[in-house]
Amino acid sequence: MNIAKVDLNLLVYLDVLLREGSVTKAANQLSITQPAMSNGLKRLRDLFKDPLLVRTSDGMTPTKRALELQPVIRDVLSKLESSIQPEIEFTPLTSVRTFRIMTSDYAESTLLLELIGRLAVLAPNITLDLITPSDVTFHDVEQGKVDMAINRFEELPLSFHQKVIWYDSFSCVIGSDHPMKDNFDLAAYLKGQHIWVSKTGFGVGVGIDPNEVQKLGWVDAELTKIGKQRSIRVFTRHYHAALQLAKTQNLIATLPSKAAKIFKDDPSITVVEPPFDIPPIALKMAWSALLHHDAGHIWLRRLITDVANTMNAEAQA
C-alpha cells in the first residue's frame, strides 16, 4: 500500500464509524450525508481488504481486523490533532476550567477528598464535576465528554490511557460494641450479618442477586475459594452508608482499607483485619487519547498522582 495515495480523511471516517457503530450516526457526527459515509466505508473496505463492519443481530459489529486497527488509528489521529493545535499554557492559579470526573464513592471518599483540599490552594477557581459510574458510558470518556474515570475496572477499552493510582488491601469495620469484636475469627465472621458495598465499571446498575455469589466481587470470590459464604443483609453502593450501618446495626462491612480508615478516629468504630486472605484491589484513572496531550489534563493527572503518593506514604508511616 502506497501511503501517499491514501485519502487520510478515510482514517477519520473509520475512527468515527468504529466509535459509533452506525453509518447514520457517524455521518451525523461528521456532518456529511449518509451516502457519503457509505461510500467512505466502501473505500475503507477496499483499502484494508476487509469488511471492517458487519451487520449482525446486535447491529454493525467490527471485525477482528477493525478491532486491531481501532487503537492504532485513534492514537495516530490524537497525535495529529495535538500537533496541529496551538500550544496553550495552563496556569492552575488563574484557570477557571471545569474537570468532569467519573468516580466511585470509594475514590470520592478517599482520593478526591484529599485532591479537593490540594486544589483549594493550587487552583482555587477550578471546578470539579464528580459523576457517578451509572451516569457515564465508555463512549462518553472515549469522546472526551468526561475528562477522566477513576474507579476499579476489570477491563478497559484498548483506546484508553490508564494509570494505577494505588493498590489497597481490605479491612473489616464493626461497631465498637459488636459482640464478636474480641473474637473476630473466620467462624465469627461467617456467623455475623454483612453489608455488601461496591460499584465498579460504567453504565446503569441492574441490581444484585444474593444467590449469584460469583458476581458479588472480590470478598465473596475469595470466600467461595475456601468453600464459604457470608450472610449479606444490605447491599449498598455507598461507603459512608456502609460505615454508618456497621456502626449502628451490628453489621460487618468488609471494605478497601483506605475507605475503612475514614472513621478511624471514631471511638464507636473498630477496624480489624479480615480473618481470611483477600487480594488487594487496584484503583485506576483512565482517560481518552483525545485529552492525553492537553496541558490542563496533564497537570491534573500529575496532581492526582502526587496526592495518591502522599496518601500512600502517610499510610505506611
Side-chain angles (χ1 to χ4, degrees):
M1 182 187 297
N2 185 348
I3 191 67
K5 296 181 180 179
V6 175
D7 180 355
L8 295 183
N9 282 323
L10 290 177
L11 300 184
V12 177
Y13 286 14
L14 181 57
D15 180 50
V16 178
L17 276 166
L18 293 176
R19 199 161 62 228
E20 297 293 341
S22 163
V23 170
T24 301
K25 291 180 180 179
N28 289 339
Q29 183 165 329
L30 291 172
S31 299
I32 62 176
T33 65
Q34 185 170 334
M37 180 55 76
S38 296
N39 181 60
L41 177 57
K42 180 181 181 302
R43 293 169 64 196
L44 283 162
R45 286 167 169 166
D46 292 339
L47 178 65
F48 289 105
K49 303 295 188 291
D50 187 271
L52 299 175
L53 286 164
V54 178
R55 191 173 299 282
T56 68
S57 59
D58 295 324
M60 296 292 282
T61 302
T63 64
K64 180 176 181 293
R65 175 66 168 147
L67 292 175
E68 292 170 347
L69 287 168
Q70 186 173 22
V72 176
I73 290 174
R74 179 66 262 159
D75 185 56
V76 168
L77 292 177
S78 174
K79 289 177 179 177
L80 182 60
E81 288 165 354
S82 65
S83 297
I84 63 178
Q85 288 177 355
E87 189 71 24
I88 300 175
E89 184 179 354
F90 180 76
T91 307
L93 195 62
T94 58
S95 175
V96 293
R97 182 166 172 175
T98 295
F99 287 102
R100 291 178 176 84
I101 301 176
M102 184 236 84
T103 178
S104 63
D105 184 61
Y106 162 57
E108 191 171 348
S109 300
T110 54
L111 174 74
L112 273 296
L113 189 65
E114 296 293 328
L115 176 66
I116 290 168
R118 193 78 69 90
L119 285 173
V121 176
L122 299 176
N125 298 310
I126 280 181
T127 300
L128 293 187
D129 181 10
L130 304 181
I131 308 169
T132 64
S134 60
D135 294 330
V136 174
T137 66
F138 280 133
H139 188 60
D140 294 326
V141 178
E142 189 175 45
Q143 285 193 316
K145 294 177 181 178
V146 175
D147 290 280
M148 189 181 299
I150 301 178
N151 206 342
R152 299 170 289 160
F153 302 106
E154 294 183 3
E155 58 182 55
L156 286 165
L158 294 175
S159 60
F160 281 24
H161 291 276
Q162 58 178 291
K163 179 180 177 66
V164 174
I165 295 174
W166 64 46
Y167 292 94
D168 200 358
S169 61
F170 280 81
S171 296
C172 293
V173 177
I174 57 176
S176 293
D177 58 353
H178 196 287
M180 300 176 184
K181 184 187 71 170
D182 297 323
N183 188 28
F184 197 75
D185 57 11
L186 182 59
Y189 184 90
L190 296 173
K191 185 179 178 181
Q193 304 294 300
H194 294 262
I195 311 157
W196 177 99
V197 54
S198 182
K199 182 58 177 169
T200 61
F202 288 80
V204 178
V206 293
I208 291 295
D209 182 347
N211 296 315
E212 294 184 332
V213 176
Q214 72 276 12
K215 296 182 180 180
L216 295 183
W218 297 270
V219 176
D220 298 280
E222 296 309 309
L223 283 173
T224 301
K225 289 178 183 178
I226 59 174
K228 305 296 182 181
Q229 184 173 349
R230 59 178 175 166
S231 177
I232 302 171
R233 288 293 165 263
V234 178
F235 290 84
T236 180
R237 278 72 174 169
H238 302 285
Y239 286 87
H240 276 281
L243 289 165
Q244 290 291 352
L245 287 168
K247 178 178 176 179
T248 61
Q249 302 298 321
N250 274 346
L251 297 174
I252 302 168
T254 307
L255 311 172
S257 297
K258 284 183 171 60
K261 289 177 182 177
I262 293 171
F263 286 168
K264 62 183 175 60
D265 297 324
D266 187 334
S268 60
I269 285 286
T270 298
V271 179
V272 294
E273 293 290 322
F276 59 99
D277 291 332
I278 309 173
I281 50 127
L283 182 69
K284 297 181 180 180
M285 58 177 168
W287 62 96
S288 169
L290 293 171
L291 295 168
H292 186 63
H293 300 284
D294 178 273
H297 204 275
I298 291 171
W299 178 85
L300 181 64
R301 297 197 307 264
R302 288 174 177 169
L303 180 61
I304 289 172
T305 300
D306 184 55
V307 169
N309 289 341
T310 300
M311 291 178 67
N312 283 331
E314 290 173 350
Q316 295 169 6

